[in-house]
Amino acid sequence: MVFSWRGGPEPRCLLLSLLLLASWETGSGQVHYSVPEEAKHGTFVGRIAQDLGLELAELVPRLFRVASKGRGDLLEVNLQNGILFVNSRIDREELCGRRLDCSIHLEVVVDRPLQVFHVEVEVKDINDNPPVFLVKEQKLFVSESRMPDSRFPLEGAFDADIGANSVLNYRLSYSDFFMLDVYSKNEENNRVELVLRKSLDREEASEHNLFLTATDEGKPELTGTVQLLVTVLDVNDNAPSFEQPEYQVRLFENSANGTIVIRLNASDRDEGPNGEISYSFNSLVPPMVSDQFSIDSNTGEITVRKNLDFEKANSYKIRIDATDRGHPPMVGHCTILVKVLDINDNAPQVSLTSVALPVREDAPLGSVIALISASDRDAGANGQVTCTLSPHVPFKLVSTFKNYYSLVLDSALDRESVATYELLVTARDGGSPPLSATASVSVQVADVNDNAPAFAQPEYTVFVRENNPPGRHIFTVSARDADAQENARVSYSLVERRVGERALSSYVSVHAESGRVYALQPLDHEELEVLQVQVSARDAGVPPLGSNVTLQVFVLDENDNAPALLPPGAGGGGGATSQLVSRSVGAGHVVAKVRAVDADSGYNAWLSFELQAAAGAARSPFRVGLYTGEVSTTRALDEADAPRQRLLVLVKDHGEPALTATATVLLSLVESGQAPRASSRASAGARSTEAALVDVNAYLVIGICAVSSLLVLTLLLYTALRCSAPRSEGACGPGRPPLVCSSAVGSWSCSQQRRQRVCSGEGPPKADLMAFSPSLPPCPVGDMEVHGQSSGGDNSGKVGYYFITFLFCFGTVLYFNPISLKCILFILCYIA
């Protein structure tokens, strides 16, 4: 590298040798490198990846990056080989001025996990700045009357380098009258003086041209030159003098304008005008000094003109001239060194870098959230900064290096409890009183899928009328997820299972987004009374979470089944049946019975019977029981009655609208002598029935003994029912009328539904079958199946009645299986 200097006699070539140092500072975790200033682009600084313990292959995936606050891109890292190199020109004087310690602080940041390293790169000074004089020519006025050894201060040169590169040596061009004297009191004040070797004679030489050369001690040496023009003055041979050539003053920064710095007092041994002194700044005083201070020319009092700022300049050197009024005037000189003392007038500054937001709520403890740096322009204790965190949050500050901190996670997070934390970082210096600054950090907590969708209740009851149109909306399920965004997006699905021989999905479906449940086909109460549907709610998290809810869909009955007449083989008189009736029977004698069932339930299955009169026919001597279906005589039959009677019985349910069926009963009136065979056949049938009933009763007794522990309760309930029997139908409380099926021991209406309504003396009805036992006298019937009564029949009927009563009470208390109960009741009703 070749440097050319103005004022030098010729260009000189300088070979620059770069010495690179890299070492670890023991125990601090900080990497130190050094690099000379003015190093070329690409100059090797250090293997930073290797020294930081990082693998080359992980630099790019972990987003390896280097940040230098306020230093631009002076240094760069090659991500392929992990080498730190010089990226652009480094000028130490531009970076640090004349400070002895000059370094570039780098923050090396890698992610996954987030780590930060601190690297100090020391910039070594090289001798790249020659000594510079402020002016090209210095003028001195020397009276010819000055005595030998008189001294004239000169303005020395300035070298921007430091250390040996800034140590200056001066030499003066040869002169018979002058020589050079350099006095080094300290680095900041090198006094260069021109010494008069012998008396001057203005008549011999009125001017002397000299050259002052300053040479630094760098390698290679650099020089600077200034011309000295000495003018020889005549007459006034005593110059003003100060008590001491140098004064030192200490002032606090921010001193008020007008504050007195010093009051000078120079003396002149001359008299008259030659002894009158005026004070002024030396012509070589830089403008920054003359702008900052002012001097009273008469009193020599120096005052502060503008507020002092330690952070801008911590010292001033003021050269003062004391000039008399002689002809020519003579000048005395002194130097004032002003030291500016720091006060705590700068608040700390806080900055956040590498903020890793948002933070997952399942982040591990110790995770680095952000990097915080604090600085203070003051010096000493006034510039020492400490940082605190408020309020009490699950985070803490960890000091990493000097005024650098890491904001780390200190305890577990829960986004559902707190989604955002507003943190306040307070930086406070050590001054008195201390100054502080704050920086706010908003930490958002990112959601993770840690909450399953939840229903308001685990089970819902839904009522749907049968014969619904396909696709009808029957219910809407809704689950709430405490998470956010995708983790809270709930979708619904049906939990598939078998309902009988069919899949549940053939009955209902659920909309995945809205949770609306639809019936895919018409439901049939007679086929399916209760449909249990289980709906699953799943969120969109990874992995997804879910929960289930159960819908109990009750299918409500509609009157969609007309009464069905029982065929004669089942003991009914349905269809067209023919019976023989003796003319000798009296009024109220049961001659036939119409039996019918309805597949519906409740009111829709409650049947009533009415006799329809034939058009144009005389008043019939027969009637039908409204709820029993028993056809009986209304009066004694006589010869005027037609021998063949055709009766139309209308069977009607109580639904809305009511549905009907018609049964035809053909009665043949015969004389009393022609009926015994039918009666004997009826008696034989009764005897066989009694034998079968005795066998059944034997099994029933065995069953009653098996549940002997409930016998007492059964007897009590039976007694209660017997005691309440005379109260008529109102004993069951309000409700629908009973369904009736007539028999010799009472009247019953047998429904094919699995749910029965049992009327008891305690509590509300439990099912839809009601029973009562009217006192109707039995009578023999022809070919129809009519049970007679005998003493044995009475006993068996009573035992059967007791057993039926027991079954009703037992089913009411213990919610006995309605299907089994209905089957037993139907068999007993048929046997009875």
Side-chain angles (χ1 to χ4, degrees):
M1 186 178 296
V2 179
F3 296 85
S4 296
W5 307 105
R6 290 178 296 178
E10 59 181 3
R12 297 181 180 180
C13 295
L14 177 61
L15 178 62
L16 179 61
S17 175
L18 304 178
L19 178 62
L20 305 175
L21 301 176
S23 62
W24 285 91
E25 181 180 349
T26 304
S28 66
Q30 181 185 3
V31 178
H32 289 270
Y33 298 110
S34 64
V35 62
E37 66 175 328
E38 304 295 341
K40 294 182 179 180
H41 173 76
T43 299
F44 174 87
V45 179
R47 298 184 183 278
I48 188 170
Q50 178 180 345
D51 295 337
L52 293 178
L54 301 175
E55 297 293 337
L56 294 180
E58 65 179 355
L59 297 184
V60 174
R62 294 186 65 183
L63 301 181
F64 182 96
R65 55 194 183 276
V66 177
S68 176
K69 183 178 180 182
R71 295 294 185 262
D73 56 347
L74 300 179
L75 300 172
E76 189 59 62
V77 176
N78 188 332
L79 297 182
Q80 302 301 321
N81 54 26
I83 292 178
L84 179 67
F85 63 92
V86 176
N87 188 46
S88 60
R89 175 178 174 269
I90 302 176
D91 189 349
R92 184 191 182 284
E93 288 71 33
E94 182 181 347
L95 288 176
C96 306
R98 291 185 56 80
R99 292 203 306 268
L100 295 178
D101 181 21
C102 182
S103 61
I104 301 174
H105 178 75
L106 302 178
E107 289 181 2
V108 179
V109 182
V110 293
D111 293 336
R112 304 172 189 154
L114 179 63
Q115 290 179 286
V116 62
F117 304 92
H118 300 278
V119 179
E120 292 283 346
V121 180
E122 182 183 2
V123 181
K124 296 289 187 180
D125 181 57
I126 65 172
N127 193 24
D128 59 338
N129 291 284
V132 177
F133 290 89
L134 296 179
V135 294
K136 294 181 179 180
E137 182 182 84
Q138 292 189 25
K139 293 182 179 181
L140 288 86
F141 299 91
V142 181
S143 175
E144 64 176 349
S145 61
R146 295 295 294 265
M147 300 298 293
D149 294 329
S150 294
R151 296 175 178 271
F152 306 93
L154 300 176
E155 184 67 23
F158 171 80
D159 196 327
D161 297 320
I162 63 170
N165 296 329
S166 66
V167 177
L168 302 180
N169 298 314
Y170 296 89
R171 66 178 181 272
L172 186 66
S173 61
Y174 179 78
S175 174
D176 291 334
F177 296 94
F178 298 95
M179 66 178 183
L180 193 64
D181 185 17
V182 180
Y183 175 74
S184 297
K185 185 174 182 181
N186 52 52
E187 280 188 346
E188 295 180 1
N189 188 21
N190 292 334
R191 190 168 62 197
V192 182
E193 294 180 336
L194 191 64
V195 182
L196 185 63
R197 301 175 66 178
K198 62 181 181 177
S199 299
L200 298 173
D201 187 358
R202 192 189 65 82
E203 285 72 20
E204 290 183 5
S206 60
E207 289 184 349
H208 297 269
N209 288 322
L210 306 174
F211 288 95
L212 178 63
T213 302
T215 305
D216 61 26
E217 293 184 1
K219 295 185 184 299
E221 296 179 348
L222 299 178
T223 61
T225 304
V226 66
Q227 183 180 3
L228 301 179
L229 181 59
V230 180
T231 301
V232 180
L233 302 177
D234 198 17
V235 188
N236 190 15
D237 55 322
N238 285 290
S241 62
F242 292 92
E243 294 179 355
Q244 56 189 67
E246 183 177 293
Y247 298 89
Q248 291 188 357
V249 180
R250 295 177 179 269
L251 287 177
F252 283 102
E253 65 172 329
N254 295 336
S255 296
N257 294 344
T259 300
I260 298 176
V261 178
I262 192 173
R263 185 178 285 107
L264 299 174
N265 185 18
S267 61
D268 195 318
R269 290 183 296 174
D270 294 327
E271 295 181 354
N274 294 332
E276 296 178 1
I277 300 173
S278 65
Y279 302 91
S280 64
F281 291 121
N282 188 275
S283 60
L284 300 178
V285 171
M288 63 172 295
V289 176
S290 59
D291 291 343
Q292 192 70 53
F293 302 96
S294 63
I295 185 170
D296 190 313
S297 61
N298 295 321
T299 63
E301 185 176 88
I302 299 176
T303 57
V304 176
R305 188 174 182 180
K306 294 181 179 179
N307 286 341
L308 301 175
D309 190 352
F310 175 85
E311 287 68 42
K312 290 184 178 179
N314 57 9
S315 65
Y316 296 91
K317 183 166 71 171
I318 308 174
R319 295 185 181 274
I320 303 297
D321 291 343
T323 306
D324 61 22
R325 300 182 187 276
H327 296 283
M330 301 190 71
V331 180
H333 308 277
C334 76
T335 301
I336 302 172
L337 294 178
V338 179
K339 292 288 186 180
V340 181
L341 304 180
D342 181 52
I343 64 173
N344 193 25
D345 61 341
N346 289 282
Q349 294 180 348
V350 184
S351 62
L352 281 76
T353 59
S354 300
V355 181
L357 294 177
V359 182
R360 286 173 59 90
E361 62 178 320
D362 62 349
L365 301 184
S367 298
V368 179
I369 309 303
L371 302 179
I372 300 172
S373 61
S375 61
D376 196 314
R377 297 177 59 197
D378 294 323
N382 297 331
Q384 295 178 357
V385 181
T386 56
C387 290
T388 57
L389 185 65
S390 61
H392 180 69
V393 291
F395 304 94
K396 67 178 179 179
L397 291 178
V398 177
S399 178
T400 56
F401 174 76
K402 291 183 181 178
N403 292 332
Y404 290 86
Y405 296 85
S406 294
L407 178 65
V408 301
L409 182 62
D410 190 41
S411 59
L413 300 175
D414 184 9
R415 190 205 66 83
E416 287 69 42
S417 299
V418 181
T420 303
Y421 291 92
E422 298 297 336
L423 311 181
L424 190 67
V425 179
T426 302
R428 184 173 284 101
D429 60 27
S432 181
L435 299 179
S436 62
T438 59
S440 60
V441 184
S442 181
V443 179
Q444 293 83 29
V445 181
D447 182 57
V448 298
N449 194 24
D450 57 348
N451 289 279
F455 292 94
Q457 57 191 73
E459 183 175 299
Y460 294 92
T461 300
V462 183
F463 296 94
V464 180
R465 289 195 173 275
E466 65 174 333
N467 302 323
N468 57 281
R472 179 186 175 185
H473 169 243
I474 61 174
F475 195 70
T476 300
V477 295
S478 178
R480 180 184 177 275
D481 197 311
D483 294 320
Q485 297 177 352
E486 290 298 312
N487 296 331
R489 186 163 60 85
V490 180
S491 61
Y492 304 91
S493 62
L494 197 65
V495 179
E496 187 63 273
R497 69 179 184 88
R498 303 294 297 179
V499 180
E501 297 181 354
R502 301 173 60 182
L504 178 63
S505 57
S506 64
Y507 288 96
V508 295
S509 68
V510 59
H511 192 272
E513 296 181 358
S514 65
R516 295 169 67 90
V517 181
Y518 299 92
L520 299 180
Q521 63 181 14
L523 300 177
D524 188 356
H525 173 82
E526 288 71 39
E527 175 188 348
L528 187 66
E529 293 185 6
V530 181
L531 180 62
Q532 189 177 75
V533 179
Q534 198 170 42
V535 178
S536 175
R538 292 289 183 275
D539 57 30
V542 179
L545 301 178
S547 61
N548 296 340
V549 68
T550 300
L551 303 183
Q552 295 288 354
V553 181
F554 288 88
V555 182
L556 302 180
D557 182 57
E558 287 190 344
N559 193 25
D560 57 346
N561 289 281
L565 301 174
L566 294 179
T577 61
S578 177
Q579 301 292 336
L580 297 177
V581 181
S582 175
R583 289 181 179 272
S584 62
V585 297
H589 183 78
V590 176
V591 297
K593 184 172 183 177
V594 178
R595 289 185 174 89
V597 295
D598 196 312
D600 294 321
S601 62
Y603 270 83
N604 297 328
W606 182 25
L607 304 180
S608 61
F609 304 85
E610 61 181 73
L611 191 62
Q612 289 185 328
R619 182 174 177 273
S620 174
F622 300 97
R623 65 180 177 183
V624 65
L626 179 61
Y627 299 117
T628 63
E630 294 179 341
V631 179
S632 59
T633 57
T634 59
R635 57 179 173 78
L637 300 177
D638 52 27
E639 295 298 330
D641 294 321
R644 295 185 63 82
Q645 298 283 335
R646 181 185 180 88
L647 305 179
L648 293 180
V649 179
L650 180 66
V651 184
K652 180 172 64 174
D653 59 27
H654 284 71
E656 291 292 339
L659 300 178
T660 62
T662 303
T664 302
V665 180
L666 299 177
L667 300 179
S668 298
L669 304 184
V670 297
E671 298 299 330
S672 58
Q674 299 177 359
R677 285 195 299 271
S679 298
S680 63
R681 287 195 300 268
S683 298
R687 283 194 298 271
S688 63
T689 300
E690 289 177 10
L693 188 58
V694 169
D695 294 336
V696 172
N697 289 338
Y699 290 110
L700 295 179
V701 171
I702 294 174
I704 294 174
C705 294
V707 292
S708 59
S709 59
L710 299 176
L711 182 58
V712 176
L713 178 61
T714 304
L715 295 176
L716 290 176
L717 292 175
Y718 170 72
T719 303
L721 291 174
R722 295 292 292 175
C723 293
S724 61
R727 300 179 189 174
S728 75
E729 297 176 1
C732 296
R736 300 180 181 179
L739 304 183
V740 180
C741 176
S742 177
S743 72
V745 296
S747 298
W748 303 93
S749 177
C750 303
S751 172
Q752 293 181 350
Q753 295 299 309
R754 285 184 291 173
R755 282 193 295 173
Q756 292 85 24
R757 182 173 181 179
V758 178
C759 178
S760 66
E762 298 180 5
K766 298 297 183 180
D768 61 333
L769 181 61
M770 301 176 64
F772 66 95
S773 178
S775 299
L776 295 176
C779 67
V781 183
D783 293 336
M784 288 189 61
E785 192 170 334
V786 179
H787 303 291
Q789 291 186 3
S790 65
S791 59
D794 292 339
N795 293 332
S796 61
K798 184 177 294 185
V799 174
Y801 180 74
Y802 291 165
F803 183 70
I804 293 172
T805 305
F806 164 72
L807 288 180
F808 268 99
C809 298
F810 184 72
T812 302
V813 176
L814 300 181
Y815 293 90
F816 192 83
N817 187 336
I819 299 177
S820 302
L821 180 60
K822 182 175 293 185
C823 294
I824 294 173
L825 291 177
F826 183 81
I827 294 172
L828 293 176
C829 180
Y830 177 76
I831 295 174

